[in-house]
Amino acid sequence: MPPHAWFGVSAIFHYLGPSFAVLLFPVVGVVGVAWFRIATAALVFAPITKPWRTIREADANTRWLLISLGVCLAVMNTSFYLALDKLPMSLVAAMEFVGTIGVALWGLRTKRNVVALVLAVIGVFVLIDVKWSSDPLGLFWATLNAVLFVGYIILGHKASEGGASGGVERLGAAMAIALLILMPIGFMEAVRAFGMPLVVLAGIGVGVCSSVIPYVCDQLAMSRLPRASFALLLALLPATATIIAAIVLAQIPTLQDLLGIALVMIGIAIHRPAPAPIPAAQKEAAA
């Protein structure tokens, strides 16, 4: 499958998980739902990726990468849910996307790509129709999530440099580290749901939809896409959120929503990543 197809799968599940998670907040608590998300992903990845082996065999630089990615995942997912508990999802998504613009700009090299990015940004803001909130705590969590989302893109690309297989192994190790970080706080909230089997199953579903499927698909896309291209593709997320809302929640998009989706799609269609540099070894061989 082409990397863009893997990203498409990730984009679909990016907001399916949060839409389920919000429904669990009153029962499990915000941090408890975040713990279910991280714990489910860590337990799913563990037998496949063997995080203990990855951490043991890693060199010093790779261990720092795993720790950084684990901290980023733990704090990012928790701050994302804390923001959703206080702010509309459209506002949180807008702030999350604004953080990725800098990543896309970092790798842009042509006027065509600048035009593509401008169209995508305009489409996102037309689509989400941003409404600022007066809740300073909610804005703090949304800002923290946006900053860490950029960190996830950078660290995730670093983890995938050796290929998708190695990237998934590093992701599994980072998820185990994230679970250790979140365990002292999140488990205390999540434990009150253990007597309700359906709630536990729902929490597991949130973890699979939010952290297993999209993160694996991200690695399969990141390993084959430049960082700037991946960052621009993130403009799809508000569009997929609108489509999911129409199908799952019967929230039919307006003409303004459709205009925003069209602008995003046009921006992504005309975007072209900068050509990858030719390794020195290949240059010497060609000479």
Side-chain angles (χ1 to χ4, degrees):
M1 289 177 60
H4 298 80
W6 288 117
F7 181 86
V9 176
S10 173
I12 291 172
F13 282 92
H14 189 86
Y15 284 110
L16 268 181
S19 65
F20 298 151
V22 171
L23 300 177
L24 292 178
F25 286 171
V27 181
V28 185
V30 178
V31 182
V33 176
W35 181 88
F36 266 113
R37 172 176 178 168
I38 295 294
T40 299
L43 292 176
V44 170
F45 282 129
I48 302 170
T49 62
K50 298 179 174 57
W52 53 89
R53 184 184 64 187
T54 302
I55 296 172
R56 184 181 67 247
E57 296 178 355
D59 56 30
N61 290 334
T62 303
R63 284 179 182 172
W64 277 114
L65 172 64
L66 297 176
I67 293 172
S68 300
L69 184 55
V71 173
C72 181
L73 289 171
V75 182
M76 179 184 73
N77 290 326
T78 304
S79 61
F80 179 59
Y81 284 165
L82 288 169
L84 288 182
D85 189 42
K86 294 181 174 293
L87 301 175
M89 185 177 289
S90 61
L91 176 56
V92 178
M95 296 181 68
E96 192 173 61
F97 177 76
V98 167
T100 68
I101 294 176
V103 181
L105 284 173
W106 183 265
L108 292 178
R109 295 293 185 272
T110 65
K111 291 181 180 179
R112 175 174 179 157
N113 284 347
V114 172
V115 172
L117 182 61
V118 170
L119 286 174
V121 171
I122 293 174
V124 167
F125 281 95
V126 169
L127 178 63
I128 60 180
D129 189 17
V130 180
K131 297 178 181 178
W132 296 102
S133 169
S134 60
D135 190 326
L137 185 58
L139 289 174
F140 167 77
W141 291 121
T143 302
L144 180 60
N145 171 68
V147 171
L148 291 173
F149 194 54
V150 174
Y152 164 69
I153 296 172
I154 296 173
L155 295 172
H157 260 95
K158 188 71 176 176
S160 67
E161 285 180 352
S165 178
V168 172
E169 286 184 0
R170 295 187 181 98
L171 176 63
M175 200 64 72
I177 293 171
L179 177 59
L180 292 176
I181 294 171
L182 198 57
M183 180 66 78
I185 303 174
F187 181 76
M188 297 304 295
E189 280 199 3
V191 71
R192 62 187 181 185
F194 286 179
M196 297 176 280
L198 290 179
V199 175
V200 172
L201 289 175
I204 294 172
V206 167
V208 172
C209 290
S210 300
S211 290
V212 177
I213 296 175
Y215 286 168
V216 169
C217 290
D218 281 351
Q219 284 298 314
L220 292 168
M222 284 178 173
S223 63
R224 297 160 60 192
L225 285 173
R227 185 183 301 166
S229 300
F230 185 85
L232 184 64
L233 282 173
L234 292 172
L236 272 173
L237 297 183
T240 57
T242 301
I243 295 171
I244 290 171
I247 296 174
V248 179
L249 304 176
Q251 297 176 356
I252 307 303
T254 63
L255 290 177
Q256 179 177 331
D257 295 330
L258 295 177
L259 174 62
I261 292 174
L263 288 171
V264 171
M265 298 299 183
I266 293 171
I268 292 173
I270 68 173
H271 167 256
R272 291 294 181 271
I278 301 174
Q282 292 186 15
K283 290 182 178 179
E284 294 176 1

